[in-house]
Amino acid sequence: MKDFFAKYKSDESWWIREKKWDKSMQSSRESQFSLGNGYIGSRGILEEVPYDARAGTYIAGLYDKTGAQIPELVNLPNPINLKIIANGERLGAGTMDMLQYERMLDLRHGLLFRRTIYQNSHKKRFDYQSLRFVSMRDKHLIAMQVYITALDEGVTLTVESLLDLSVTNIGFLTEGNKKHFRIEDVTQLDKGEYVGVRTLEKDILIAYGKSLIIEKNSSRRFAEGVATYVKLKKNQAICITNIFSVFSSKDKNSSKTKAMIKGFLKKHIRLGFDRMVKEHIASWGKLWGLSDIKIKGEPDVQKKLRFNIYHLLICGKEGDGESSIGAKTLTGEGYRGHIFWDADIFILPFFIYNIPKVAKNMLLYRYNRLDNARKIAESRGYNGAMFPWESADTGEEVTPAWAKNYDGTLIQIRTHEMEHHITADIAYGVYQYYVATQDERFMLSHGFEMIFETARFWASRVEYNKLLDRYEIKHVIGPDEFHEDVDNNAYTNCMARFNLLIGYGMYQKLKRLYPKEFTRLSKKINLKPREIKEWKNIFPKIVFNIKDNGLIEQFDGFFKRKKIELRNLKKQPIPGIPKKVKLQDIGKTQLVKQADVVMLLHILSDNFDVKIKRKNFYYYLKRTLHKSSLSAATHAALAADINDLDTAYRYFSIALNMDLNLLYGNTNDGMHAASLGGVWQAVISGFAGVKVLKGTLSIHPRLPEVWQEMSFCMKWGGYNLKVMVTGHSVSLSFSSKRKKDRLRIKVYGLLRRIETNRLYTFSRRATL
Ligand code: BGC
């Protein structure tokens, strides 16, 4: 049987395949096979929509809180909804037998393929082939094509493709299904259909256009009305093409009128499916050119790494800060689509070094909500800006009051009251962006203000202990959420210190280099020199509990909590909660939910020497349950940093397989965004040893033995740096139109100067 879509497929090394339909895997597969372009996310349901499929269509930044009290990412009408009836029997999982089945995500081309041989109750077979994509070229376009061939005898087909308006959000806890939109308008157009729905809370219009084209032999017609009837002879195929446009009244520069939708459809009908696919593939080609990592030695790891990168690419969006990336990207409703520190600490670096415009959009998202962060600070009696632990469209605090604990019981959530490190995490993200991109314009228009306002917050958040002449940060939750309401969490304190330090440094810089801007900004936010003096006074005196032997105490009194050391970590790197520990008592023990001190050592790497890193890594590893998906990749990165490649590889494999092998059991709710970013960090910052040490880019690779070579591109200071590392060498080059351009890069600890348009290879031995 002919493969109708063969010409669009890349090579097998880029394919993620599912070879058998397994109903029990349905929702997880829908997350894994999601398509997207940063603006739209579309779960990978079967087009025939089995009755218990979890269709998901999301627009970045589009939230609604009807019936939920807290806003959630709206599940919009589902365009992927094809009903094919062959001689009275419906094609689909559960309604016909599947003699052969394959679903394949082509990571390189961003295409989702299906191939199924259906058999009806009379043992007559139908070949079903489909291809669909969410366009990377035109963010408002979704398209799909389906070929159906009657293999055994002639048949009458009924084809229906209706925008499914019955979809709802799944609802959390006892909320039940929730609908966030009402139907405003359904109009038949000349060659298609227009459907407008509006969200209930904010009245945001989401305007769909849809065209359905049916071709048989050389005849072609546009479907009108609900159903189209087609007669097929034996071995004859029909081709069904669906073109959708999706706009929202939140988009910039779009009128969303029917006329515009009509024009959009017309343009794409004229363009044709083939051109649309090719343009989409070309756009993907550019993205991979910026972000691919090539690994020689482990094809399986190579593919999985690309799967992780694919999922980062489909949620990244350039823009002016309307949205950022939620904890489950645009692939599911977990965490209601909210934005956490996952975005700023885990995902942002990938975009900073590959597609800085997306990173900028994520930071603008925070900047645009600075006023609400100021309000939060004020309402709590602090100065400056305090960012919410969970954020949605407005930047208000949107953390739910209750959630399910690991044992299914309800627990009250206190993170929004106390998990304050998010504010420093955002400042850290701004700073990382600045160091890597040197984007002074962004800093002048947004970045400095963010850093100053967050530093201001910490200056008011710390408490002075006169007796000990030190500053303390009390009543917090660190990244380890098992321990609530603790004092002087090491991660929080060090990040606050960092925030004040860069606040101070940036202030001096702005004053010196841009006096006019300095005056403007100082006036705008009423920043006084005495405040800066205060910051300088505070940061060296913020408590940091480190013992003489180098052990960092996670928070005041942590060492006195009940000691429990986990064993057998090689065999069981993600241990279960020990039986003797009751869930409600876990905070009384030294058991840690996720990387906390380890997180600190990873992201503020150049502040700690390797001895301290080792000491703390092994101490906390024995106490960490990795109950958050953020933990494994961070452990991998730090383990590589301290040259423990076995441990690094073990935790890297967990993070790498997290969603492909459903390791955390909740991939059905969407992909684990932070882990995707964490995997990239484990590879680049961990194994390739790429770090920024006191402002200088440094490369010191420590590859797993089985990897012979790894190559990638990264943006640094506006240049596109090409890097190739092996177990014993680093090769570097970059191109620039200006011949004399140079970069200073540390390789294996030695400072090197490299010139444009030349290839340099530095060998490890020579530098030892
Ligand atoms: C983790 C947080 C994380 C959140 C969203 C929680 O379980 O403890 O660190 O931000 O999930 O991924």
Side-chain angles (χ1 to χ4, degrees):
M1 186 72 216
K2 181 178 168 186
D3 177 353
F4 290 101
F5 300 118
K7 63 177 170 179
Y8 302 126
K9 292 179 180 168
S10 67
D11 71 274
E12 220 171 309
S13 67
W14 290 79
W15 298 355
I16 298 291
R17 284 158 111 170
E18 178 194 43
K19 293 189 176 160
K20 212 177 132 223
W21 170 249
D22 178 350
K23 202 166 141 349
S24 66
M25 300 284 280
Q26 181 169 214
S27 349
S28 312
R29 294 279 185 244
E30 288 166 357
S31 302
Q32 294 167 341
F33 287 121
S34 286
L35 298 168
N37 58 21
Y39 173 71
I40 301 171
S42 168
R43 280 168 65 81
I45 52 165
L46 305 190
E47 295 92 17
E48 310 89 309
V49 198
Y51 81 96
D52 48 359
R54 265 163 69 173
T57 314
Y58 311 103
I59 291 185
L62 211 148
Y63 296 85
D64 186 87
K65 65 178 179 193
T66 311
Q69 308 303 323
I70 333 166
E72 59 185 358
L73 197 62
V74 178
N75 191 8
L76 294 165
N78 169 33
I80 313 299
N81 181 32
L82 197 62
K83 196 167 161 191
I84 311 279
I85 297 173
N87 284 350
E89 290 183 52
R90 183 166 176 178
L91 263 72
T95 51
M96 276 194 197
D97 291 337
M98 286 173 164
L99 301 184
Q100 262 181 48
Y101 171 88
E102 184 178 81
R103 174 160 46 174
M104 187 272 271
L105 178 65
D106 187 324
L107 302 170
R108 186 176 202 165
H109 292 168
L111 298 171
L112 185 60
F113 296 92
R114 277 269 315 287
R115 179 89 190 259
T116 303
I117 308 277
Y118 281 116
Q119 180 175 263
N120 71 9
S121 58
H122 303 287
K123 303 268 182 252
K124 302 300 174 213
R125 296 167 308 142
F126 304 93
D127 178 73
Y128 176 100
Q129 295 184 35
S130 73
L131 161 60
R132 71 180 203 252
F133 63 96
V134 174
S135 176
M136 266 302 172
R137 175 61 59 93
D138 187 327
K139 302 273 162 172
H140 300 278
L141 173 71
I142 303 177
M144 76 181 192
Q145 198 163 65
V146 177
Y147 279 88
I148 298 168
T149 314
L151 296 179
D152 296 316
E153 64 176 17
V155 65
T156 303
L157 291 184
T158 315
V159 180
E160 284 178 28
S161 166
L162 292 176
L163 197 67
D164 183 1
L165 294 160
S166 70
V167 290
T168 57
N169 278 68
I170 45 176
F172 287 81
L173 305 178
T174 52
E175 286 173 350
N177 290 347
K178 269 166 300 153
K179 204 171 193 75
H180 288 293
F181 58 83
R182 65 183 165 82
I183 302 159
E184 183 184 67
D185 187 356
V186 180
T187 309
Q188 191 68 43
L189 304 174
D190 176 23
K191 286 179 176 156
E193 199 180 25
Y194 168 88
V195 178
V197 300
R198 280 190 185 271
T199 56
L200 298 177
E201 184 209 353
K202 294 197 173 142
D203 211 35
I204 300 164
L205 171 71
I206 302 97
Y208 283 78
K210 177 174 90 74
S211 267
L212 176 66
I213 306 157
I214 295 183
E215 288 165 275
K216 193 175 81 171
N217 298 337
S218 50
S219 78
R220 167 184 152 110
R221 63 177 151 139
F222 289 88
E224 275 174 35
V226 177
T228 305
Y229 300 94
V230 185
K231 276 198 161 41
L232 279 191
K233 293 193 192 121
K234 182 177 167 187
N235 286 330
Q236 198 175 26
I238 62 157
C239 170
I240 302 162
T241 306
N242 247 324
I243 302 170
F244 303 100
S245 61
V246 186
F247 289 86
S248 120
S249 54
K250 279 185 79 192
D251 306 335
K252 287 260 150 65
N253 310 323
S254 90
S255 51
K256 275 78 56 187
T257 57
K258 271 179 227 169
M260 191 199 80
I261 300 274
K262 226 167 144 178
F264 182 95
L265 290 177
K266 222 175 173 180
K267 176 182 153 195
H268 286 91
I269 291 167
R270 211 179 311 126
L271 202 63
F273 189 77
D274 184 57
R275 277 280 298 281
M276 283 186 262
V277 182
K278 284 182 180 153
E279 288 185 357
H280 166 78
I281 291 176
S283 297
W284 267 100
K286 281 191 197 144
L287 286 181
W288 282 115
L290 298 170
S291 57
D292 192 21
I293 301 173
K294 295 192 181 81
I295 292 174
K296 272 197 194 154
E298 270 198 310
D300 184 48
V301 168
Q302 169 75 81
K303 186 186 282 191
K304 289 173 171 172
L305 179 58
R306 283 177 171 153
F307 175 73
N308 273 258
I309 297 176
Y310 163 87
H311 270 282
L312 287 166
L313 292 174
I314 64 166
C315 66
K317 179 173 170 278
E318 295 174 17
D320 40 20
E322 282 316 302
S323 60
S324 183
I325 299 172
K328 301 286 181 178
T329 66
L330 291 175
T331 57
E333 287 160 40
Y335 287 116
R336 303 175 197 257
H338 290 176
I339 289 132
F340 294 71
W341 71 316
D342 306 34
D344 311 274
I345 293 291
F346 289 82
I347 304 163
L348 189 71
F350 168 79
F351 288 110
I352 291 178
Y353 289 103
N354 294 293
I355 315 175
K357 280 186 179 162
V358 174
K360 186 170 156 190
N361 181 54
M362 294 170 72
L363 296 175
L364 285 175
Y365 164 82
R366 295 296 193 183
Y367 178 84
N368 291 345
R369 286 144 189 88
L370 201 55
D371 273 345
N372 270 336
R374 288 184 178 108
K375 280 188 197 147
I376 298 175
E378 200 187 341
S379 70
R380 308 262 189 120
Y382 303 125
N383 299 332
M386 177 184 179
F387 283 95
W389 175 244
E390 293 188 29
S391 181
D393 46 355
T394 62
E396 286 158 306
E397 180 59 76
V398 294
T399 305
W402 297 90
K404 255 191 197 162
N405 208 348
Y406 304 106
D407 59 358
T409 57
L410 282 190
I411 43 161
Q412 205 164 354
I413 304 291
R414 301 182 70 192
T415 46
H416 56 297
E417 287 166 28
M418 295 185 192
E419 203 156 349
H420 293 178
H421 62 81
I422 176 81
T423 294
D425 299 334
I426 291 168
Y428 175 89
V430 172
Y431 185 72
Q432 298 307 313
Y433 172 81
Y434 180 38
V435 171
T437 61
Q438 297 297 313
D439 186 348
E440 305 272 338
R441 275 176 69 185
F442 169 79
M443 291 307 289
L444 291 171
S445 52
H446 307 91
F448 289 124
E449 187 176 344
M450 291 168 85
I451 289 180
F452 297 155
E453 287 290 39
T454 48
R456 227 176 199 175
F457 161 72
W458 289 112
S460 67
R461 177 65 180 82
V462 295
E463 291 171 43
Y464 184 57
N465 181 330
K466 219 170 169 188
L467 208 65
L468 299 170
D469 185 26
R470 62 183 208 176
Y471 287 91
E472 304 180 334
I473 305 179
K474 295 183 167 176
H475 306 296
V476 296
I477 300 177
D480 161 27
E481 294 169 351
F482 284 168
H483 295 97
E484 295 183 331
D485 197 359
V486 299
D487 296 343
N488 296 316
N489 165 253
Y491 178 87
T492 310
N493 282 22
C494 284
M495 291 300 283
R497 182 180 189 278
F498 177 84
N499 200 161
L500 287 161
L501 183 73
I502 56 169
Y504 176 75
M506 295 289 119
Y507 181 87
Q508 307 302 337
K509 184 166 188 164
L510 182 64
K511 192 171 162 190
R512 200 171 23 129
L513 299 180
Y514 302 99
K516 246 173 135 184
E517 287 303 317
F518 169 79
T519 312
R520 181 196 65 81
L521 186 56
S522 302
K523 241 184 174 171
K524 179 182 172 194
I525 61 171
N526 197 20
L527 192 62
K528 298 275 181 326
R530 84 172 152 69
E531 288 185 70
I532 315 308
K533 254 196 193 158
E534 203 189 342
W535 300 353
K536 193 181 173 200
N537 183 33
I538 296 171
F539 66 73
K541 290 186 182 170
I542 292 184
V543 175
F544 180 54
N545 288 324
I546 182 163
K547 281 185 152 188
D548 291 344
N549 63 4
L551 204 57
I552 299 167
E553 187 165 33
Q554 193 181 291
F555 53 82
D556 289 354
F558 178 86
F559 292 145
K560 291 198 195 109
R561 303 269 163 131
K562 190 171 179 209
K563 178 175 163 180
I564 298 178
E565 289 196 347
L566 303 159
R567 285 169 216 275
N568 260 335
L569 291 178
K570 281 193 181 153
K571 268 198 177 150
Q572 224 188 333
I574 305 282
I577 299 173
K579 285 204 180 83
K580 58 183 177 195
V581 179
K582 284 195 195 130
L583 200 51
Q584 63 269 29
D585 292 338
I586 210 156
K588 295 181 189 154
T589 73
Q590 288 181 350
L591 289 173
V592 171
K593 179 181 176 190
Q594 68 197 85
D596 189 305
V597 170
V598 167
M599 188 74 216
L600 166 68
L601 300 174
H602 165 54
I603 70 167
L604 291 181
S605 181
D606 56 345
N607 287 274
F608 303 96
D609 67 32
V610 71
K611 267 194 193 155
I612 291 191
K613 287 180 186 167
R614 280 204 183 115
K615 177 105 199 161
N616 286 283
F617 179 79
Y618 294 113
Y619 177 87
Y620 284 103
L621 184 66
K622 275 190 248 159
R623 289 160 174 77
T624 303
L625 290 171
H626 309 281
K627 275 289 181 191
S628 156
S629 63
L630 281 57
S631 198
T634 309
H635 278 77
L638 193 67
D641 191 8
I642 60 172
N643 210 10
D644 179 348
L645 292 181
D646 282 347
T647 309
Y649 193 80
R650 197 171 308 126
Y651 284 95
F652 167 69
S653 299
I654 290 164
L656 187 70
N657 287 296
M658 179 148 310
D659 286 309
L660 267 175
N661 292 346
L662 319 182
L663 298 187
Y664 275 64
N666 58 356
T667 296
N668 52 336
D669 290 336
M671 299 289 292
H672 292 89
S675 178
L676 300 171
V679 163
W680 182 86
Q681 290 187 38
V683 172
I684 298 297
S685 149
F687 295 132
V690 176
K691 296 208 161 59
V692 180
L693 304 179
K694 316 259 179 261
T696 304
L697 188 71
S698 159
I699 306 184
H700 191 135
R702 297 183 177 91
L703 293 191
E705 225 171 277
V706 279
W707 297 5
Q708 290 130 27
E709 190 184 294
M710 178 167 133
S711 46
F712 53 93
C713 291
M714 60 181 287
K715 293 264 190 302
W716 178 252
Y719 297 107
N720 205 10
L721 186 65
K722 289 189 178 153
V723 185
M724 206 258 283
V725 299
T726 67
H728 48 80
S729 70
V730 172
S731 301
L732 298 172
S733 66
F734 74 102
S735 53
S736 156
K737 281 182 199 132
R738 291 184 303 262
K739 277 197 183 145
K740 292 254 162 73
D741 283 1
R742 284 176 175 201
L743 284 176
R744 291 165 72 244
I745 298 180
K746 260 192 176 174
V747 186
Y748 294 121
L750 292 183
L751 198 60
R752 307 287 188 171
R753 283 193 172 74
I754 63 168
E755 283 175 17
T756 170
N757 303 323
R758 279 185 58 187
L759 176 69
Y760 294 81
T761 299
F762 303 106
S763 106
R764 173 178 225 156
R765 216 171 308 134
T767 61
L768 282 177

